[in-house]
Amino acid sequence: MTILLSVTGFDPDRWRGALQAADPAASIVLAPAHAADESIRYAVVWKQPPGLLSTLPNLRAIFSLGAGVDHILKDGTLPDVPILRIVADDLTNRMSEYVVWRVLDHFRKGAAYRQAQARREWVDWPQPAARDVTVGVMGLGELGRDAARKLAALGFAVTGWSRSGRPVEGLTVHGGEAGLKRFLAETDILVVLLPLTPETAGLIDETLLSGLKRRTPLGGPVLINAGRGGLQDEAAILGALEAGTLMEASLDVFQREPLPDDSPLWRHPAVFVTPHAAALSDPDALAPTVMAQIAAIERGEMPSNRVDRAAGY
Amino acid sequence: MTILLSVTGFDPDRWRGALQAADPAASIVLAPAHAADESIRYAVVWKQPPGLLSTLPNLRAIFSLGAGVDHILKDGTLPDVPILRIVADDLTNRMSEYVVWRVLDHFRKGAAYRQAQARREWVDWPQPAARDVTVGVMGLGELGRDAARKLAALGFAVTGWSRSGRPVEGLTVHGGEAGLKRFLAETDILVVLLPLTPETAGLIDETLLSGLKRRTPLGGPVLINAGRGGLQDEAAILGALEAGTLMEASLDVFQREPLPDDSPLWRHPAVFVTPHAAALSDPDALAPTVMAQIAAIERGEMPSNRVDRAAGY
């Protein structure tokens, strides 16, 4: 039995080493020796070349090495085998670190204090209490729920929105289109952790941004997108910043990545840009999870983190 | 019965309004009508003028309106009545926000990403996991314990140091001079929340900084001081940054405040300066606590947050 590793943008040798370390007996190949390699039963991928997986006659399951599976599903020739999302504390913790960091930096007026320091100006501004600021988390999968819990532990008022509106313990959840308007209207800081699906593509647009609370304790609403760039309309974000319907943004993902050199987001004083680095996949931390799940499938079990292809996540 | 309010640097009318709102029947004066005002039983103060409190013959207790009581104790003529520290969730939460914000900004390489953005450079750096980074918290009063708990919830390895070494549930605590060396040697990010006492004055000096772990997962140790400026030797901090024994610092407090215009800290690229704003005292949030404690003393009870004058906190 062979495992195929196909990654783009990740270091393949680093991942092969980590997978091998997690199971020294495993046979791992970086590319199929020839099309229709019959020995390959599992594919472990990040942005695999389209068409590659459909050539493998005995493929049993596909594993994503990062949060999100849109990079897998956009391959139109995908064989009909289970796709497994990666769910691992290491990845979840990293994403929550990013979210809490960005929420706190906007909430505690990081940009204003950095500018005051550059002017050598000893000045402070009124600081609302966390309990008076509502952080709205869009997307309540593993990542969204963990971020919501950690923000609540810091004292923020936290609400959530998901497509289904399924209850989450300890969280006010709004659901579906009907709940979106109310969710946005009470949100001071919007955190987007949605998957990219045909339904969510372009969701962060002028309509959504103009639905955010106007008079917030911070002076205006804040957007934090650590989901996917395809969720956002960057022209609408720039327009909302210009119009004052948005005060500041932290963006880790972009419609085109790397963010083009001529994007006005790079130099916008109210925008903090990171290079899709909110939650980097750590081979040493994630490889054991993948190998354990492959072993489970070999025993005839199916891990719970299977992707719903119709939903797209 | 009258309550004297004496604040320097805080807005007296704002505080009087909040105290009055918390007890509309209370008699609150901003300055004694004449020295030796016999009706004054309580003094609510922030940096009161030295000598003022000793003129009041019937004073029963003194309340501090901010974290720390060094501003009260430095009055050499202080009458021998109980001094009460303010302990309030609002103040504790604010301090923990600052600490978590600063830890995350250093840990997630905020300065490096901001510089990369200014260069329009799409680049990331290896990011250690929080579990591999040890945050050492010096000072384990209300503030230190709360910050330690919130940092641990984000996945950091957290240890603590206190003079007494008294155990804290869920935390490895080092105590006294003997424990300090070991505490420092395992600390990647040092958070200082100590009170200013004759024992702690100038404690953050070259010896302490050179005791911090050298090879940290972040590339070098980080200092965060939100205690008191009198704890730190700023020349030693600048020297350690120069020598590379310190990588970065966030300082909210300074030997002289406001920080003098000619201080090199303002313009140091590895130092983040805030104007003693880590945990601002909010009148509306704190006044009810003070008035409830005055009522308790009037009933013959003594609140638990009484200052130990010998210890200085």
Side-chain angles (χ1 to χ4, degrees), chain A residues 191-212:
Chain A
V191 173
V192 182
L193 290 171
L194 289 166
L196 180 60
T197 72
E199 275 192 344
T200 63
L203 188 66
I204 308 170
D205 62 5
E206 194 188 334
T207 306
L208 181 141
L209 294 171
S210 65
L212 287 166

Side-chain angles (χ1 to χ4, degrees), chain A residues 233-250:
Chain A
D233 173 345
E234 286 161 18
I237 292 172
L238 287 160
L241 288 165
E242 187 70 27
T245 47
L246 191 62
M247 188 180 70
E248 292 180 348
S250 283

Side-chain angles (χ1 to χ4, degrees), chain B:
Chain B
M1 182 271 282
T2 301
I3 297 166
L4 168 68
L5 175 66
S6 173
V7 294
T8 307
F10 287 3
D11 176 351
D13 292 324
R14 190 81 175 73
W15 279 96
R16 177 153 64 174
L19 292 165
Q20 198 72 74
D23 181 358
S27 163
I28 300 162
V29 296
L30 278 181
H34 49 85
D37 186 325
E38 295 186 357
S39 69
I40 291 173
R41 285 219 283 250
Y42 301 96
V44 177
V45 308
W46 182 251
K47 299 182 183 169
Q48 82 285 359
L52 168 67
L53 300 180
S54 64
T55 66
L56 306 170
N58 294 319
L59 194 66
R60 288 198 185 172
I62 302 165
F63 290 83
S64 172
L65 283 181
V69 292
D70 47 294
H71 64 102
I72 296 177
L73 294 174
K74 72 181 179 190
D75 179 351
T77 67
L78 216 55
D80 185 23
V81 300
I83 301 167
L84 287 301
R85 276 180 286 111
I86 189 99
V87 174
D89 286 349
D90 185 79
L91 199 64
T92 306
N93 286 342
R94 286 167 189 266
M95 185 58 92
S96 291
E97 285 164 15
Y98 172 85
V99 170
V100 171
W101 171 40
R102 298 322 308 157
V103 166
L104 285 174
D105 198 58
H106 292 289
F107 170 65
R108 294 294 302 239
K109 306 181 198 296
Y113 280 111
R114 286 186 288 272
Q115 285 158 21
Q117 177 176 355
R119 294 189 307 263
R120 288 180 287 183
E121 199 179 337
W122 184 269
V123 60
D124 63 49
W125 292 274
Q127 177 59 51
R131 66 177 174 279
D132 294 329
V133 170
T134 299
V135 183
V137 179
M138 286 192 90
L140 298 173
E142 297 287 335
L143 302 181
R145 293 198 306 275
D146 190 70
R149 196 163 43 236
K150 287 170 176 170
L151 289 164
L154 286 169
F156 290 99
V158 184
T159 64
W161 180 90
S162 68
R163 196 177 59 121
S164 69
R166 198 167 21 242
V168 175
E169 207 190 311
L171 192 66
T172 303
V173 175
H174 301 275
E177 283 215 41
L180 185 56
K181 208 166 169 177
R182 203 166 45 185
F183 166 79
L184 294 171
E186 68 184 31
T187 291
D188 298 312
I189 299 178
L190 178 65
V191 173
V192 183
L193 290 170
L194 289 165
L196 180 61
T197 71
E199 275 191 345
T200 62
L203 187 67
I204 307 171
D205 62 3
E206 194 188 334
T207 305
L208 180 139
L209 294 171
S210 65
L212 287 165
K213 195 197 284 186
R214 293 296 173 93
R215 295 178 168 276
T216 85
L218 299 175
V222 171
L223 167 68
I224 298 170
N225 185 9
R228 281 286 180 269
L231 300 168
Q232 78 197 9
D233 174 345
E234 286 161 18
I237 291 172
L238 287 160
L241 287 165
E242 188 69 29
T245 48
L246 192 63
M247 187 180 70
E248 293 180 346
S250 281
L251 305 175
D252 185 55
V253 289
F254 302 91
Q255 289 177 271
R256 277 182 57 202
E257 294 178 6
L259 182 62
D261 197 60
D262 62 357
S263 168
L265 293 170
W266 280 118
R267 289 286 169 95
H268 198 294
V271 178
F272 179 65
V273 169
T274 41
H276 204 144
L280 297 174
S281 293
D282 175 25
D284 298 328
L286 303 187
T289 303
V290 170
M291 296 308 280
Q293 295 193 344
I294 288 176
I297 298 176
E298 285 286 300
R299 288 195 305 271
E301 302 159 21
M302 179 49 64
S304 61
N305 48 320
R306 184 174 170 177
V307 170
D308 174 349
R309 286 204 194 194
Y313 62 92

Side-chain angles (χ1 to χ4, degrees), chain A residues 61-76:
Chain A
I62 303 165
F63 290 83
S64 172
L65 282 181
V69 293
D70 47 294
H71 64 102
I72 296 177
L73 294 174
K74 73 180 177 191
D75 180 350

